[in-house]
Amino acid sequence: MLVRTGWERHLADPERYIGRMDFPGVAVDAAQLLVSRGVVGVGIDTLGVDPGAATDFPVHARVTLPAGVWHLEGLVN
């Protein structure tokens, strides 16, 4: 599964792209749906599958990785 949030538009501005932890990500409910449908991997154009403001990484730590779903992060162009 590939997720294109449009975050790559900030790639030319490192302060915006990686300096702030306010990027979009996958919601827990959406991640649970993906796992239930047998998705084996998630690729996303942000720094992580969780929204940047998520300090406890609920998707990463409690949904996708425990289910064996791999992540590709920072996909651009």
Side-chain angles (χ1 to χ4, degrees), residues 6-50:
W7 196 250
E8 70 178 59
R9 71 182 175 271
H10 301 297
L11 192 59
D13 181 0
E15 173 60 31
R16 177 76 171 130
Y17 187 78
I18 63 174
R20 297 186 209 166
M21 299 302 284
D22 65 351
F23 52 84
V26 178
V28 170
D29 290 347
Q32 290 169 335
L33 179 63
L34 294 174
V35 168
S36 74
R37 293 190 176 176
V39 168
V40 297
V42 177
I44 193 164
D45 60 350
T46 63
L47 298 179
V49 294
D50 285 287

